[in-house]
Amino acid sequence: MTLLAGPQAKVERAEKHISDLGPAITAFFKTEPYAAIRKDDLEAQQRSYYAEIRAQPDLSISLIAGDAIHNLRAALDLLFSQLVKANNEEVGDSDYFPIRKSAKSLEASLPEIQRRVGSDACGLIEDMKPYQGGNDSLWHLHRLDAIDKHRFLLTALGSVVSLVLPFEFPDGRVVYIELPDQGNTFSLLEDRGHLLTLSFSKGEQDHEPGFGIEVALNEPEVVEPQPLVPFLEQLAGLVTETIALFDARF
Protein backbone atom coordinates (compact mmCIF):
# COMPACT_ATOMS: atom_id res chain seq x y z
CA MET A 1 0.00 0.00 0.00
CA THR A 2 1.60 3.26 -1.10
CA LEU A 3 1.44 6.56 0.75
CA LEU A 4 -1.39 7.78 -1.48
CA ALA A 5 -3.32 4.53 -2.03
CA GLY A 6 -6.14 5.65 0.29
CA PRO A 7 -6.76 9.01 -1.39
CA GLN A 8 -6.67 7.38 -4.81
CA ALA A 9 -9.19 4.76 -3.70
CA LYS A 10 -11.55 7.54 -2.60
CA VAL A 11 -11.24 9.19 -6.02
CA GLU A 12 -12.02 5.87 -7.70
CA ARG A 13 -15.11 5.56 -5.54
CA ALA A 14 -16.18 9.07 -6.53
CA GLU A 15 -15.65 8.20 -10.20
CA LYS A 16 -17.89 5.15 -9.73
CA HIS A 17 -20.63 7.40 -8.38
CA ILE A 18 -20.20 9.78 -11.31
CA SER A 19 -20.52 6.90 -13.78
CA ASP A 20 -23.68 5.79 -11.95
CA LEU A 21 -25.23 9.17 -12.70
CA GLY A 22 -25.45 8.32 -16.41
CA PRO A 23 -28.07 5.54 -16.01
CA ALA A 24 -29.92 7.52 -13.33
CA ILE A 25 -30.20 10.58 -15.58
CA THR A 26 -31.19 8.43 -18.57
CA ALA A 27 -33.97 6.85 -16.52
CA PHE A 28 -35.14 10.28 -15.43
CA PHE A 29 -35.35 11.59 -19.00
CA LYS A 30 -37.37 8.52 -20.03
CA THR A 31 -40.15 9.92 -17.85
CA GLU A 32 -40.36 12.88 -20.29
CA PRO A 33 -39.85 15.54 -17.62
CA TYR A 34 -40.12 18.41 -20.08
CA ALA A 35 -41.64 19.30 -23.44
CA ALA A 36 -40.98 21.99 -26.02
CA ILE A 37 -44.23 23.82 -26.72
CA ARG A 38 -44.50 25.52 -30.14
CA LYS A 39 -46.32 28.79 -30.76
CA ASP A 40 -46.67 30.33 -34.22
CA ASP A 41 -46.97 34.05 -34.87
CA LEU A 42 -48.46 34.15 -38.38
CA GLU A 43 -48.22 37.92 -38.67
CA ALA A 44 -44.54 38.03 -37.74
CA GLN A 45 -43.86 34.74 -39.57
CA GLN A 46 -42.07 33.41 -36.53
CA ARG A 47 -42.22 30.12 -34.70
CA SER A 48 -41.24 30.14 -31.03
CA TYR A 49 -40.59 27.28 -28.61
CA TYR A 50 -41.14 27.37 -24.87
CA ALA A 51 -40.26 24.87 -22.16
CA GLU A 52 -42.92 23.02 -20.21
CA ILE A 53 -41.38 21.50 -17.10
CA ARG A 54 -43.26 18.47 -15.86
CA ALA A 55 -40.75 17.25 -13.27
CA GLN A 56 -37.39 18.16 -11.82
CA PRO A 57 -34.60 15.60 -11.30
CA ASP A 58 -35.50 13.08 -8.62
CA LEU A 59 -33.77 12.65 -5.28
CA SER A 60 -31.63 9.71 -6.36
CA ILE A 61 -29.59 11.98 -8.64
CA SER A 62 -28.85 14.39 -5.77
CA LEU A 63 -27.86 11.48 -3.53
CA ILE A 64 -25.37 10.10 -6.06
CA ALA A 65 -23.90 13.55 -6.73
CA GLY A 66 -23.52 14.18 -3.00
CA ASP A 67 -21.73 10.85 -2.53
CA ALA A 68 -19.31 11.70 -5.34
CA ILE A 69 -18.51 15.11 -3.87
CA HIS A 70 -18.04 13.69 -0.38
CA ASN A 71 -15.58 11.06 -1.62
CA LEU A 72 -13.57 13.68 -3.49
CA ARG A 73 -13.34 15.89 -0.40
CA ALA A 74 -12.45 12.85 1.70
CA ALA A 75 -9.66 11.99 -0.75
CA LEU A 76 -8.03 15.35 -0.03
CA ASP A 77 -8.47 14.88 3.73
CA LEU A 78 -6.86 11.44 3.55
CA LEU A 79 -4.04 12.97 1.53
CA PHE A 80 -3.41 15.51 4.27
CA SER A 81 -3.48 12.79 6.93
CA GLN A 82 -0.91 10.78 5.03
CA LEU A 83 1.31 13.84 4.79
CA VAL A 84 1.01 14.27 8.56
CA LYS A 85 2.14 10.66 9.04
CA ALA A 86 5.02 11.16 6.60
CA ASN A 87 6.12 14.08 8.76
CA ASN A 88 6.23 11.73 11.78
CA GLU A 89 3.25 13.38 13.44
CA GLU A 90 0.22 11.63 14.89
CA VAL A 91 -2.99 12.27 12.95
CA GLY A 92 -5.63 14.14 14.93
CA ASP A 93 -9.31 14.93 14.48
CA SER A 94 -8.51 18.44 13.22
CA ASP A 95 -6.25 17.22 10.41
CA TYR A 96 -7.99 17.84 7.10
CA PHE A 97 -6.89 19.34 3.81
CA PRO A 98 -6.96 23.14 4.27
CA ILE A 99 -9.39 24.97 2.00
CA ARG A 100 -10.06 28.46 3.29
CA LYS A 101 -12.48 31.29 2.54
CA SER A 102 -9.74 33.80 1.76
CA ALA A 103 -6.01 34.18 1.10
CA LYS A 104 -5.68 35.93 4.46
CA SER A 105 -7.27 33.00 6.26
CA LEU A 106 -4.91 30.54 4.58
CA GLU A 107 -1.90 32.71 5.38
CA ALA A 108 -2.86 32.76 9.05
CA SER A 109 -2.98 28.96 9.17
CA LEU A 110 0.29 28.29 7.33
CA PRO A 111 2.46 27.99 10.48
CA GLU A 112 0.21 25.24 11.84
CA ILE A 113 0.03 23.52 8.44
CA GLN A 114 3.81 23.56 8.23
CA ARG A 115 4.08 22.09 11.71
CA ARG A 116 1.77 19.25 10.74
CA VAL A 117 3.08 18.30 7.28
CA GLY A 118 6.50 19.92 6.97
CA SER A 119 7.77 22.84 4.93
CA ASP A 120 7.83 21.11 1.51
CA ALA A 121 4.24 19.89 1.65
CA CYS A 122 3.11 23.20 3.15
CA GLY A 123 4.76 25.05 0.28
CA LEU A 124 2.89 22.94 -2.26
CA ILE A 125 -0.40 23.59 -0.49
CA GLU A 126 0.28 27.33 -0.40
CA ASP A 127 1.11 27.35 -4.13
CA MET A 128 -2.25 25.69 -4.89
CA LYS A 129 -4.10 28.72 -3.46
CA PRO A 130 -6.84 26.62 -1.85
CA TYR A 131 -9.22 29.44 -1.05
CA GLN A 132 -12.12 31.36 -2.58
CA GLY A 133 -10.76 33.64 -5.25
CA GLY A 134 -7.61 31.53 -5.61
CA ASN A 135 -8.44 27.98 -6.65
CA ASP A 136 -12.21 28.37 -6.93
CA SER A 137 -12.73 24.73 -7.94
CA LEU A 138 -11.31 23.54 -4.63
CA TRP A 139 -13.49 26.09 -2.86
CA HIS A 140 -16.55 24.81 -4.71
CA LEU A 141 -15.75 21.24 -3.69
CA HIS A 142 -15.32 22.28 -0.06
CA ARG A 143 -18.58 24.26 0.12
CA LEU A 144 -20.67 21.68 -1.72
CA ASP A 145 -19.47 18.95 0.61
CA ALA A 146 -20.44 21.10 3.59
CA ILE A 147 -23.89 21.73 2.12
CA ASP A 148 -24.45 18.02 1.47
CA LYS A 149 -23.92 17.32 5.17
CA HIS A 150 -26.97 19.42 6.04
CA ARG A 151 -29.31 18.97 3.08
CA PHE A 152 -29.50 17.40 -0.36
CA LEU A 153 -27.71 19.18 -3.18
CA LEU A 154 -30.11 20.95 -5.50
CA THR A 155 -30.41 19.85 -9.11
CA ALA A 156 -32.62 21.09 -11.92
CA LEU A 157 -33.15 20.93 -15.64
CA GLY A 158 -30.84 23.17 -17.62
CA SER A 159 -30.63 24.16 -21.27
CA VAL A 160 -27.36 23.98 -23.15
CA VAL A 161 -26.14 26.13 -26.02
CA SER A 162 -26.43 23.49 -28.74
CA LEU A 163 -29.54 23.22 -30.86
CA VAL A 164 -30.09 20.43 -33.35
CA LEU A 165 -32.21 21.00 -36.47
CA PRO A 166 -33.12 18.29 -38.99
CA PHE A 167 -32.42 18.62 -42.71
CA GLU A 168 -34.21 16.27 -45.07
CA PHE A 169 -32.78 15.34 -48.48
CA PRO A 170 -35.05 14.73 -51.50
CA ASP A 171 -34.45 10.98 -51.18
CA GLY A 172 -35.84 11.02 -47.66
CA ARG A 173 -32.56 10.87 -45.78
CA VAL A 174 -32.47 13.09 -42.71
CA VAL A 175 -29.35 14.56 -41.15
CA TYR A 176 -29.22 16.61 -38.00
CA ILE A 177 -27.22 19.84 -38.00
CA GLU A 178 -26.02 21.45 -34.79
CA LEU A 179 -26.28 25.20 -34.89
CA PRO A 180 -23.18 27.09 -33.76
CA ASP A 181 -23.00 28.85 -30.42
CA GLN A 182 -24.57 32.29 -30.78
CA GLY A 183 -23.34 33.66 -27.48
CA ASN A 184 -25.88 31.92 -25.29
CA THR A 185 -24.76 30.37 -22.00
CA PHE A 186 -25.93 27.40 -20.00
CA SER A 187 -28.87 28.34 -17.82
CA LEU A 188 -31.57 26.73 -15.75
CA LEU A 189 -34.69 25.78 -17.63
CA GLU A 190 -37.74 27.75 -16.54
CA ASP A 191 -41.31 26.63 -16.89
CA ARG A 192 -42.78 28.44 -19.90
CA GLY A 193 -39.33 29.90 -20.47
CA HIS A 194 -38.30 30.81 -24.02
CA LEU A 195 -36.11 28.29 -25.84
CA LEU A 196 -35.87 29.47 -29.43
CA THR A 197 -37.52 31.57 -32.12
CA LEU A 198 -37.15 30.71 -35.82
CA SER A 199 -38.51 32.22 -38.97
CA PHE A 200 -40.98 30.03 -40.86
CA SER A 201 -38.45 29.62 -43.63
CA LYS A 202 -36.21 27.76 -41.18
CA GLY A 203 -38.93 25.97 -39.30
CA GLU A 204 -41.09 24.46 -42.00
CA GLN A 205 -39.63 20.95 -41.84
CA ASP A 206 -41.87 18.17 -40.65
CA HIS A 207 -39.37 17.38 -37.91
CA GLU A 208 -39.24 19.54 -34.82
CA PRO A 209 -35.85 20.84 -33.64
CA GLY A 210 -34.16 18.98 -30.82
CA PHE A 211 -32.99 20.90 -27.76
CA GLY A 212 -30.01 20.05 -25.60
CA ILE A 213 -31.35 19.64 -22.07
CA GLU A 214 -29.23 18.36 -19.20
CA VAL A 215 -29.45 17.87 -15.45
CA ALA A 216 -27.79 20.86 -13.83
CA LEU A 217 -26.25 21.57 -10.46
CA ASN A 218 -28.37 24.31 -8.91
CA GLU A 219 -26.38 25.80 -6.04
CA PRO A 220 -25.99 29.41 -7.23
CA GLU A 221 -24.64 30.62 -3.88
CA VAL A 222 -21.58 28.43 -4.49
CA VAL A 223 -21.18 28.11 -8.25
CA GLU A 224 -23.05 29.17 -11.38
CA PRO A 225 -25.57 26.57 -12.63
CA GLN A 226 -23.88 24.13 -15.00
CA PRO A 227 -24.27 20.59 -16.32
CA LEU A 228 -23.89 18.23 -13.37
CA VAL A 229 -21.84 15.35 -14.79
CA PRO A 230 -19.15 17.44 -16.56
CA PHE A 231 -18.81 19.54 -13.41
CA LEU A 232 -18.22 16.48 -11.22
CA GLU A 233 -15.79 15.05 -13.76
CA GLN A 234 -13.83 18.30 -13.63
CA LEU A 235 -13.66 18.13 -9.83
CA ALA A 236 -12.51 14.51 -9.98
CA GLY A 237 -9.78 15.49 -12.42
CA LEU A 238 -8.66 18.29 -10.11
CA VAL A 239 -8.38 15.98 -7.10
CA THR A 240 -6.53 13.38 -9.18
CA GLU A 241 -4.04 16.03 -10.30
CA THR A 242 -3.60 17.19 -6.71
CA ILE A 243 -2.81 13.66 -5.54
CA ALA A 244 -0.38 13.18 -8.42
CA LEU A 245 1.38 16.42 -7.50
CA PHE A 246 2.15 15.15 -4.00
CA ASP A 247 2.85 11.63 -5.25
CA ALA A 248 5.66 13.01 -7.40
CA ARG A 249 7.24 14.75 -4.39
CA PHE A 250 6.60 12.28 -1.60
Side-chain angles (χ1 to χ4, degrees), residues 99-121:
I99 302 175
R100 304 289 190 250
K101 188 173 183 179
S102 66
K104 184 177 181 180
S105 177
L106 178 69
E107 183 179 0
S109 62
L110 286 177
E112 176 62 15
I113 294 171
Q114 181 171 325
R115 187 182 72 83
R116 300 301 292 152
V117 300
S119 58
D120 288 345

Side-chain angles (χ1 to χ4, degrees), residues 80-101:
F80 191 83
S81 295
Q82 295 288 44
L83 293 171
V84 170
K85 291 179 180 179
N87 194 43
N88 297 316
E89 295 284 344
E90 184 176 348
V91 177
D93 292 340
S94 60
D95 285 318
Y96 55 89
F97 194 91
I99 302 175
R100 304 289 190 250
K101 188 173 183 179

Side-chain angles (χ1 to χ4, degrees), residues 8-248:
Q8 289 168 342
K10 282 290 186 180
V11 173
E12 290 171 3
R13 186 60 184 169
E15 290 174 338
K16 175 62 169 61
H17 287 306
I18 295 171
S19 68
D20 288 342
L21 278 173
I25 291 174
T26 297
F28 167 65
F29 277 115
K30 285 183 178 180
T31 66
E32 299 183 353
Y34 81 98
I37 306 301
R38 190 182 81 185
K39 293 184 179 180
D40 290 343
D41 185 333
L42 299 180
E43 183 176 347
Q45 292 187 325
Q46 290 183 331
R47 177 168 295 163
S48 298
Y49 295 86
Y50 299 86
E52 178 184 81
I53 298 179
R54 299 167 179 170
Q56 291 288 3
D58 57 49
L59 189 59
S60 65
I61 292 174
S62 294
L63 288 170
I64 298 171
D67 287 343
I69 286 172
H70 176 69
N71 276 276
L72 292 175
R73 185 64 173 97
L76 293 178
D77 293 339
L78 279 174
L79 169 62
F80 191 83
S81 295
Q82 295 288 44
L83 293 171
V84 170
K85 291 179 180 179
N87 194 43
N88 297 316
E89 295 284 344
E90 184 176 348
V91 177
D93 292 340
S94 60
D95 285 318
Y96 55 89
F97 194 91
I99 302 175
R100 304 289 190 250
K101 188 173 183 179
S102 66
K104 184 177 181 180
S105 177
L106 178 69
E107 183 179 0
S109 62
L110 286 177
E112 176 62 15
I113 294 171
Q114 181 171 325
R115 187 182 72 83
R116 300 301 292 152
V117 300
S119 58
D120 288 345
C122 180
L124 284 177
I125 291 173
E126 183 179 9
D127 290 343
M128 291 173 61
K129 300 181 179 180
Y131 50 82
Q132 186 179 22
N135 190 323
D136 281 329
S137 292
L138 283 177
W139 172 251
H140 295 158
L141 174 61
H142 174 70
R143 287 296 303 134
L144 291 171
D145 180 56
I147 289 172
D148 189 62
K149 293 176 183 177
H150 301 282
R151 63 167 172 80
F152 297 116
L153 294 176
L154 300 178
T155 57
L157 288 172
S159 58
V160 297
V161 170
S162 63
L163 168 71
V164 179
L165 288 175
F167 179 82
E168 186 171 352
F169 289 93
D171 62 5
R173 290 181 297 119
V174 177
V175 297
Y176 292 87
I177 303 172
E178 184 173 349
L179 295 186
D181 181 359
Q182 299 181 4
N184 297 319
T185 58
F186 184 86
S187 60
L188 296 182
L189 203 64
E190 298 181 359
D191 194 35
R192 302 299 172 179
H194 177 257
L195 289 170
L196 175 75
T197 296
L198 295 171
S199 68
F200 282 156
S201 60
K202 293 181 179 178
E204 290 177 339
Q205 298 101 328
D206 293 334
H207 303 280
E208 294 289 340
F211 299 93
I213 307 296
E214 295 190 24
V215 172
L217 178 68
N218 183 24
E219 293 288 349
E221 293 184 2
V222 179
V223 60
E224 290 295 319
Q226 54 190 290
L228 178 62
V229 172
F231 175 74
L232 293 178
E233 290 174 339
Q234 183 262 330
L235 289 182
L238 172 64
V239 174
T240 297
E241 291 172 2
T242 301
I243 293 172
L245 177 66
F246 285 91
D247 193 24

